[in-house]
Amino acid sequence: MTRSAGATYVILQVPWHSIAPATPPSGFVAPDPTSPGYSWGGIDASVESAESAGVTPILEIETTPAWAYDKNPSGGNAGTPNAADLGDFATALATHYDGLTLGIPAEHVFQVSNEPNVSLYLNPVSASAYRGMVNAVSDAVHAVDAANLVVAGGLDPFGHPKSKKQKWHSVAPLAFMRSLLCVSKGAHPHATCHNAVHFDVWAHHPYTFGGPFGRAKLPDDVSLGDLPRMRALLQAGVRLHRVVSAQPVQFWVTEFGWDSNPPRPHAAPLALAARWTAESLYQMWRSGVSLVTWFGLQDQKSPSPYQSGLYFHSSSLENARAKPVLTAFKVPFVAYLQKKTVSIWGRVATSDSELVTIQRRHGKSGSWRRVAQVRSNQYGIFKASLRLKATKKDWLRASAVGSGNSLAFSLLVPHAPHIGPWGN
């Protein structure tokens, strides 16, 4: 179902605490994936399923075993893993998936933790501690295969100060990032320390209030409209040699979504959530993001607050009912009325070069008529400025072989209520 949605990647959480032994046995060699005590069966099954479906796993290392902490968890917050132990596990993980063991596929993408600027995942929230974690994983997996990719960041978009009422806290993403990269504030940033961090991809989670063009209220928070600022900071880190990679550093979004109504009251209605999905993908693309992963194939079971799935919740995926969001994710398409033209952008589900037909309909009903044809690039992206005598009453859609039709996109820009991604 993930592959049929046009996706080519999936994040799989790698539970370090479940794969490693609860207590290392005598003779346990942590960097050796065949060492007694390791248990790979669960993650192997997920990886093999993903590969058989034609989807590339992003292996996200999570959950530290009790014996591998520098600082233990406390009060619902995470602790701080020992960087050397984390590096040993990363060596074992990358070696296990180096493609040299019969029956085990080769995997090449490794993400270091999730939202390390949040105390629920790293506590104390320390950019320097996270730098040590990233460098340990990077050294380990690149030693196994220099072509492996290390993904860092995956930050929460908002800072939350410590308080007596709230048991957890977070550091605003740009503040955390500046500390991690040793880069100053300002229009002309400079290096603030001699420490470098080694990764190949920077990731973020740009959840947004007020629709896909919304910006965060606080200056160091990063929603969709703030992504260019985060990218500029990343580029400054690369330019100042605070970020080290053997290849051009990429910018990814590894978690995003819009809750919908139904099932969640006060969230974006289904049609608006679908429009926002396409527009969000466009926003991320034009901000330099090259890969996006959506938060959840289907809605989680109520009363979970996470209702941003491509499908409504069902006890069986075979019976899951698709939302309009699925089509917007699979074949995103946007069209904006200019003075004398209509600017369009989209992506075909086949992720390759295809002839794309653009059709127009006047009003909410009536027949579709072809008005243009464009060709997508090698990644499935197409973009054009069409000279059309169009009005706000017109709707456009895109169609391509292997992708079908996009959703109809109104040239009348709807009101964007100031609601968040979770309906709040």
Side-chain angles (χ1 to χ4, degrees):
M1 292 174 73
T2 298
R3 186 66 187 91
S4 69
T8 53
Y9 284 78
V10 62
I11 292 180
L12 299 180
Q13 293 180 338
V14 178
W16 180 13
H17 82 293
S18 296
I19 295 170
T23 302
S26 177
F28 178 67
V29 181
D32 180 3
T34 66
S35 190
Y38 272 130
S39 177
W40 300 98
I43 188 64
D44 279 351
S46 296
V47 167
E48 290 166 6
S49 293
E51 289 287 354
S52 67
V55 181
T56 299
I58 299 170
L59 300 178
E60 183 179 278
I61 303 172
E62 300 279 359
T63 58
T64 306
W67 51 266
Y69 281 108
D70 268 352
K71 180 175 175 59
N72 290 322
S74 175
N77 288 307
T80 304
N82 179 275
D85 289 334
L86 177 61
D88 286 344
F89 176 69
T91 296
L93 179 65
T95 303
H96 183 72
Y97 290 115
D98 63 6
L100 300 179
T101 302
L102 184 65
I104 300 177
E107 302 303 335
H108 299 286
V109 189
F110 305 87
Q111 182 162 339
V112 188
S113 191
N114 174 66
E115 297 185 350
N117 60 326
V118 181
S119 65
L120 296 171
Y121 302 101
L122 180 66
N123 191 43
V125 179
S126 165
S128 62
Y130 185 62
R131 186 189 305 115
M133 293 166 58
V134 172
N135 286 348
V137 171
S138 182
D139 290 347
V141 304
H142 287 138
V144 173
D145 187 341
N148 285 337
L149 292 179
V150 173
V151 184
L155 301 185
D156 184 280
F158 308 114
H160 295 277
K162 293 181 179 180
S163 69
K164 293 182 179 180
K165 294 182 179 180
Q166 186 170 270
K167 295 182 179 180
W168 62 274
H169 66 279
S170 63
V171 174
L174 289 184
F176 185 89
M177 193 176 176
R178 285 194 299 269
S179 181
L180 178 73
L181 304 186
C182 292
V183 173
S184 70
K185 285 185 176 182
H188 304 286
H190 59 271
T192 57
C193 76
H194 297 293
N195 299 320
V197 59
H198 298 242
F199 61 79
D200 308 299
V201 179
W202 181 256
H204 187 55
H205 302 165
Y207 289 109
T208 303
F209 286 79
F213 300 97
R215 294 184 176 183
K217 290 183 178 179
L218 300 179
D220 279 345
D221 290 350
V222 178
S223 290
L224 281 172
D226 309 298
L227 286 175
R229 296 172 59 224
M230 176 170 274
R231 186 184 183 211
L233 180 54
L234 175 62
Q235 291 172 328
V238 172
R239 186 174 63 253
L240 293 168
H241 307 292
R242 299 303 89 205
V243 179
V244 177
S245 175
Q247 53 192 293
V249 177
Q250 300 180 60
F251 188 22
W252 290 2
V253 164
T254 48
E255 187 178 308
F256 189 76
W258 295 104
D259 275 16
S260 67
N261 178 17
R264 187 163 188 187
H266 312 300
L270 288 174
L272 185 61
R275 181 184 176 103
W276 281 5
T277 296
E279 290 185 304
S280 297
L281 293 171
Y282 172 55
Q283 273 282 73
M284 289 185 257
W285 173 83
R286 72 176 189 169
S287 298
V289 172
S290 57
L291 183 146
V292 178
T293 60
W294 197 257
F295 185 66
L297 180 65
Q298 70 164 348
D299 292 344
Q300 294 187 15
K301 187 176 181 179
S302 181
S304 168
Y306 303 118
Q307 309 292 341
S308 59
L310 306 181
Y311 292 83
F312 292 103
H313 176 77
S314 174
S315 58
S316 168
L317 280 177
E318 294 177 353
N319 298 320
R321 181 166 58 95
K323 298 180 184 179
V325 168
L326 173 63
T327 302
F329 177 83
K330 183 178 181 179
V331 195
F333 174 73
V334 300
Y336 300 111
L337 184 62
Q338 311 295 335
K339 288 184 177 181
K340 295 183 179 181
T341 62
V342 176
S343 61
I344 63 167
W345 174 91
R347 177 184 177 274
V348 296
T350 49
S351 306
D352 59 6
S353 179
E354 297 286 346
L355 189 64
V356 182
T357 299
I358 308 301
Q359 300 172 321
R360 177 173 61 182
R361 183 185 70 198
H362 188 69
K364 293 184 178 181
S365 61
S367 59
W368 288 97
R369 295 185 179 183
R370 187 179 76 181
V371 293
Q373 286 188 311
V374 297
R375 183 166 289 278
S376 60
N377 66 14
Q378 60 185 336
Y379 306 109
I381 300 291
F382 58 93
K383 183 177 183 292
S385 181
L386 308 179
R387 297 190 68 85
L388 298 177
K389 292 183 178 180
T391 71
K392 293 180 180 180
K393 294 183 178 181
D394 289 335
W395 298 66
L396 267 65
R397 73 180 184 185
S399 179
V401 174
S403 299
N405 297 326
S406 73
L407 295 178
F409 195 91
S410 174
L411 296 185
L412 176 64
V413 178
H415 168 67
H418 192 76
I419 55 175
W422 309 283
N424 49 341

